[in-house]
Amino acid sequence: MSRRRTREVIRQSRLGRIAPLARLALRFGGRYLARSPQLLFASVERRTELRHDLALRSAEEVAEELGYMKGVLMKLGQMASYVDEDMPQTFRAAMGRLQHNAPPMSPELASSVIVDELGDAPERVFARWDALPFAAASIGQVHRAITKDSKAVAVKVQYPGIARSITSDLRNVALLRRVVSAAFPGMDVQSLIEELGERLREEVDYLLEADNQEYFAQYYEGHPVIHVPQVVRELSTARVLTTELVSGERFEKILQWDQHERDMAAETINRFVTRSLYRLHAFNGDPHPGNYLFHGGGRVSFLDFGLTKRFTDQDLVPLVEALRCLVIEKDGECFRSALEHAGFLKPGAPVPTETVVDRFGLFYSTVLQDAPMTITPAFASAIVRRFFDAKGPLAPYSDVPRTYVVLQRINLGLYAVLGSLNATANWRRIGQEMWPFVMGPPSTPIGEAEARWVHKRAERELAATR
Amino acid sequence: MRPESEVDRQPASSLAILEPLARALTRSVAERPADDGLFGPRSLVWRVHRDRSFAVAGIRSLMVQALHPLAMAGVAQHSNWEQDPIGRLAATSGYILTVTYGDTASVQQAGARVRAIHRHVNGTDSVTGSEYHAADPALLLWIHAAMVDSIVNVVQRYGRQLDAADADRYVAEMVRFAELVGVPAEQVPAGVAALQEYMESVEPLRATPAALHAISVVLDPPGLGDDMRELWHDIGQVAIGTLPGWARSMYGFGKPDPELMEREHVRQLIGALDLGYESLPGVMEARERIELRMRQ
């Protein structure tokens, strides 16, 4: 019997539910401990698409490539890349295209940034340093290294001068406005520019990212399937971010995995987003496929916390209310008033409540039914189209308040990711485990493992407060 | 769930205006050139001619060149530029890029084609009553000098670093450029000072009605989308700002807002335009070919 066939049989059997769990437990134990830093270092492959032959050799070349509006506009393109549908091919094409092509820094230039930030050449700061980056980052690149106390780490190095250049470019609001309205006719230019500005100012400061990553890493410590790499504080500055090195499969690779593995990966991503929102009151901004690494058995490492949004309790109340009213209470009026409260819908709009439920309800359609549902690419595009539908009956009365702009973007990106995985799950049951007004029982093997982790976590916290 | 402002604006084909220019670049920079051509990858000409401030330099060149009534008359009476101003611009730009980056055979072919066209361009200028001939070395020298002067001026101000010594070397290297269309080398200024002296010695210069008309089209070409028009308009204002005072007054342009002329601002403007240009098929690849050859 083939491996796949065996797996199928086990899955369908009565005991099937236990098998993945056992696998999880087995794999989890051996995951990092068995690997020496040298082996881990060696297992992280350099991405082949990096154009070392075109490496940037000076701050001047960096400015030429990414300064003078280019970096800023490329970032804008990245933000908008989740909403590909129905957008004209103007500057946006430029933004998307160039994003993948920013050349890396030459070894000498990257080294000079380390000298400026950490006080000495990388070969002396680290026990081992790979002079060639293994991955690109939006305003920098990532090197492998081993610290003097033998930790394998990923060192993100920012392009020199880029922070200053971005700050200056963001000040030229008039020009930004022109290009943005050229690239995104029909979008709210003002809010897009404000959001872009806020995000970019945060993103250029790696210390903020370090704070955010630590916040997530600390919360998810010991989680059975969600892994956030630890930050190495003493080797991080505003321009250099050093974190635990992770080796795993990239998104493109797991698209070839069998559906069961893809479903588990999707479940974990969904759990990470839901739990972070409802429990941590934080959103890790960028559901870009490149920000995940997959380890099989549903285990996923989450990278890149440059775009993190934290919510206050007040921010969350209307979201929780809307969800509760629609999904649990099935009360249209209650749902409508929650949307109005959040600012998504103008109060007193001359539109019947059924229409409101029908139009906005689509965004909740994965959790409306207590049944398995497959998120297909077509479903993901339908969501995006609805979101940007200018001609629908609610268009004149709806808006996305600034607090939730990032959240909305991320949601759309998340659907795109789950859609590419063609993932099936009972999303409702999974959601209910984490919704504060339900606190449902574990509904999957991963959920059971998570419940044990939650329990241990609570015990630990309780012990700490005593 | 969407913001409602500007909802019904039509998507503009903003970048269409740049497409002929992009094609001119990709055609001029061969994937497998037979040799390094007239100048070679170590030359200043290679370095300067890929500067992203070239759009501004190009517009300034046209504005200065058009102030010679006989040069302008030749264009006005013999060229179909007005039916397709961007196409005409792209042809010129393609010529410059081919002579710069092309191999020797392509350069000679391009030079021969231009000389052949010039042989048939002659007539009488209706404003001054003078006769002109496009193959006249004096006219060709004016066109050449106005271009080189504009490039040096704009690149020094808004481009990547070009110090005085490099600028001199660039002007000297460009003598061969003028030679190719038929100006005897000994007549061509071979340094910045000589170039300056020459520019100030040429007369009579004036903005004829034909020149005024041509420049108004350059500054506001037909077929631009609203958004691109604004960007193009700003680039044009910057080009006007780089003109010598005498040229500006001939056209009747005022002195532009100093804030508009600041390096940082102009670089941002150029960067935004360049991002659109670079996104067109083949542009980035052509630039990479140039860069890689210069690094060898």
Side-chain angles (χ1 to χ4, degrees):
Chain A
M1 206 185 314
S2 74
R3 250 185 87 204
R4 176 168 298 187
R5 178 85 188 104
T6 313
R7 197 177 288 165
E8 254 336 278
V9 171
I10 291 177
R11 238 183 115 193
Q12 286 156 10
S13 74
R14 206 157 35 87
L15 293 171
R17 291 190 58 196
I18 298 166
L21 193 61
R23 226 172 37 206
L24 269 178
L26 279 174
R27 284 194 192 166
F28 181 59
R31 183 155 121 209
Y32 302 105
L33 297 176
R35 276 214 172 135
S36 75
Q38 274 74 18
L39 281 177
L40 181 52
F41 181 96
S43 70
V44 173
E45 277 169 34
R46 293 197 193 113
R47 306 238 184 106
T48 47
E49 73 266 19
L50 292 178
R51 292 293 303 267
H52 295 291
D53 56 343
L54 293 168
L56 304 173
R57 296 162 299 182
S58 64
E60 189 214 3
E61 288 185 353
V62 169
E64 214 33 45
E65 204 62 43
L66 288 155
Y68 307 119
M69 286 293 170
K70 288 195 159 185
V72 168
L73 293 174
M74 277 149 67
K75 190 71 206 170
L76 193 70
Q78 191 192 345
M79 269 167 49
S81 64
Y82 310 133
V83 295
D84 255 342
E85 307 274 328
D86 303 331
M87 289 285 182
Q89 293 296 309
T90 53
F91 280 95
R92 220 191 70 256
M95 297 168 189
R97 203 171 116 86
L98 298 186
Q99 184 190 326
H100 303 289
N101 284 290
M105 284 177 263
S106 68
E108 296 74 24
L109 187 60
S111 174
S112 78
V113 177
I114 297 287
V115 172
D116 285 348
E117 294 296 316
L118 299 178
D120 208 343
E123 292 78 11
R124 282 189 290 275
V125 172
F126 296 94
R128 198 169 162 196
W129 170 259
D130 184 0
L132 288 182
F134 69 87
S138 61
I139 48 169
Q141 62 190 26
V142 197
H143 291 256
R144 302 181 289 185
I146 295 177
T147 61
K148 286 189 169 156
D149 56 354
S150 301
K151 270 185 265 180
V153 289
V155 185
K156 184 154 88 161
V157 183
Q158 195 173 94
Y159 289 117
I162 199 72
R164 201 181 50 241
S165 156
I166 283 177
T167 315
S168 154
D169 289 348
L170 285 171
R171 261 188 249 121
N172 193 344
V173 177
L175 181 58
L176 274 177
R177 198 185 302 270
R178 276 177 196 187
V179 179
V180 170
S181 41
F184 309 100
M187 294 265 290
D188 180 352
V189 172
Q190 187 63 33
S191 86
L192 206 58
I193 291 176
E194 277 170 21
E195 187 195 343
L196 170 75
E198 212 167 281
R199 294 277 83 77
L200 271 176
R201 271 182 278 266
E202 280 171 16
E203 197 166 333
V204 296
D205 184 357
Y206 285 178
L207 284 176
L208 265 178
E209 181 173 348
D211 287 346
N212 286 324
Q213 184 155 344
E214 263 177 359
Y215 183 63
F216 280 87
Q218 207 169 11
Y219 177 80
Y220 283 108
E221 205 185 339
H223 193 284
V225 291
I226 294 169
H227 171 238
V228 178
Q230 297 286 342
V231 175
V232 182
R233 270 285 165 179
E234 60 276 18
L235 294 171
S236 298
T237 70
R239 313 272 174 260
V240 172
L241 178 61
T242 303
T243 56
E244 172 197 341
L245 187 67
V246 184
S247 146
E249 298 294 352
R250 304 181 44 70
F251 190 74
E252 305 85 69
K253 189 77 176 277
I254 76 149
L255 292 178
Q256 287 141 34
W257 285 4
D258 69 44
Q259 190 58 51
H260 179 53
E261 280 289 348
R262 283 156 59 175
D263 286 347
M264 286 200 289
E267 179 182 337
T268 300
I269 293 172
N270 181 271
R271 280 180 185 276
F272 175 70
V273 171
T274 312
R275 178 166 288 282
S276 299
L277 177 64
Y278 290 110
R279 293 307 157 97
L280 209 48
H281 293 193
F283 234 93
N284 168 32
D286 196 352
H288 186 269
N291 293 341
Y292 308 121
L293 283 177
F294 300 87
H295 312 281
R299 282 177 299 104
V300 182
S301 291
F302 294 84
L303 315 172
D304 201 330
F305 290 75
L307 236 148
T308 300
K309 170 92 181 166
R310 299 202 198 183
F311 289 100
T312 63
D313 290 351
Q314 268 87 351
D315 291 338
L316 270 180
V317 166
L319 296 184
V320 171
E321 265 303 282
L323 184 67
R324 193 184 59 82
C325 297
L326 183 73
V327 177
I328 307 293
E329 311 292 335
K330 304 203 183 308
D331 179 344
E333 292 303 333
C334 164
F335 177 61
R336 178 179 190 149
S337 109
L339 292 179
E340 290 177 353
H341 184 196
F344 286 112
L345 184 67
K346 281 186 191 140
V351 184
T353 297
E354 300 87 83
T355 312
V356 174
V357 170
D358 174 60
R359 304 297 292 185
F360 280 99
L362 180 69
F363 302 112
Y364 297 85
S365 51
T366 56
V367 291
L368 275 178
Q369 310 296 330
D370 180 5
M373 175 180 166
T374 302
I375 300 177
T376 61
F379 173 78
S381 332
I383 293 256
V384 172
R385 267 199 304 277
R386 175 66 60 87
F387 185 81
F388 287 95
D389 175 16
K391 299 195 174 67
L394 291 179
Y397 313 107
S398 50
D399 198 0
V400 180
R402 262 184 42 69
T403 322
Y404 307 114
V405 169
V406 182
L407 181 70
Q408 294 296 349
R409 291 284 142 70
I410 292 159
N411 258 328
L412 299 179
L414 180 67
Y415 280 121
V417 166
L418 299 182
S420 331
L421 292 171
N422 221 35
T424 306
N426 186 329
W427 307 104
R428 164 71 170 272
R429 288 271 174 97
I430 292 171
Q432 281 187 171
E433 292 178 35
M434 288 162 279
W435 295 344
F437 47 87
V438 181
M439 306 276 274
S443 64
T444 70
I446 292 178
E448 281 162 23
E450 192 174 62
R452 282 197 295 280
W453 166 77
V454 170
H455 185 70
K456 261 192 242 157
R457 227 181 153 270
E459 276 182 345
R460 228 179 24 237
E461 271 172 21
L462 207 62
T465 51
R466 268 188 196 140
Chain B
M1 270 205 189
R2 62 170 298 153
E4 285 310 304
S5 58
E6 301 171 284
V7 155
D8 290 317
R9 273 186 55 179
Q10 284 303 305
S13 59
S14 309
L15 300 181
I17 183 177
L18 300 176
E19 275 166 11
L21 295 161
R23 278 195 297 274
L25 174 70
T26 51
R27 281 198 205 120
S28 307
V29 184
E31 279 174 45
R32 281 179 212 82
D35 54 55
D36 283 341
L38 220 46
F39 304 101
R42 301 271 171 273
S43 65
L44 261 299
V45 173
W46 273 50
R47 205 182 92 189
V48 171
H49 286 191
R50 68 180 185 140
D51 200 279
R52 285 167 193 186
S53 59
F54 237 56
V56 177
I59 296 177
R60 186 193 191 271
S61 297
L62 294 174
M63 288 202 276
V64 178
Q65 288 166 343
L67 288 174
H68 196 302
L70 299 187
M72 189 61 233
V75 173
Q77 293 174 12
H78 291 270
S79 155
N80 62 346
W81 70 274
E82 223 183 322
Q83 285 153 29
D84 180 16
I86 299 298
R88 180 68 183 75
L89 209 59
T92 302
S93 149
Y95 174 75
I96 295 168
L97 290 165
T98 301
V99 175
T100 305
Y101 301 109
D103 53 25
T104 309
S106 318
V107 172
Q108 292 310 334
Q109 205 185 349
R113 198 181 315 122
V114 167
R115 289 194 304 271
I117 293 169
H118 285 168
R119 269 198 290 280
H120 306 290
V121 175
N122 48 61
T124 308
D125 169 34
S126 54
V127 178
T128 56
S130 307
E131 284 189 13
Y132 64 84
H133 194 302
D136 176 1
L139 277 187
L140 292 168
L141 179 57
W142 168 252
I143 296 299
H144 173 79
M147 175 182 82
V148 175
D149 176 62
S150 293
I151 292 170
V152 169
N153 194 293
V154 170
V155 172
Q156 280 197 320
R157 197 158 168 183
Y158 298 119
R160 290 168 83 165
Q161 205 202 337
L162 184 68
D163 63 24
D166 283 348
D168 265 329
R169 222 181 102 199
Y170 169 72
V171 175
E173 286 177 8
M174 283 296 281
V175 171
R176 303 190 67 182
F177 216 97
E179 255 187 306
L180 188 66
V181 287
V183 189
E186 62 276 12
Q187 292 179 19
V188 187
V192 172
L195 179 64
Q196 214 52 49
E197 202 178 309
Y198 166 80
M199 290 300 293
E200 281 156 23
S201 73
V202 177
E203 50 190 334
L205 298 175
R206 58 196 282 193
T208 59
L212 288 171
H213 174 62
I215 294 311
S216 74
V217 175
V218 168
L219 292 176
D220 188 9
L224 289 186
D226 285 352
D227 38 63
M228 190 53 115
R229 174 170 289 114
E230 290 186 0
L231 282 179
W232 192 265
H233 175 259
D234 281 2
I235 294 275
Q237 290 306 303
V238 173
I240 289 171
T242 63
L243 286 174
W246 54 263
R248 233 183 356 250
S249 21
M250 282 180 190
Y251 281 115
F253 292 128
K255 214 173 153 57
D257 184 356
E259 221 169 283
L260 180 79
M261 301 300 292
E262 274 170 21
R263 183 179 156 90
E264 183 76 12
H265 175 263
V266 174
R267 295 283 296 180
Q268 289 169 336
L269 194 60
I270 290 169
L273 190 73
D274 194 68
L275 186 69
Y277 179 59
E278 200 164 78
S279 78
L280 294 171
V283 172
M284 191 190 292
E285 289 77 4
R287 285 178 164 180
E288 283 176 4
R289 289 198 289 277
I290 296 173
E291 175 73 29
L292 288 173
R293 288 178 71 193
M294 288 176 71
R295 284 182 185 217
Q296 266 166 21

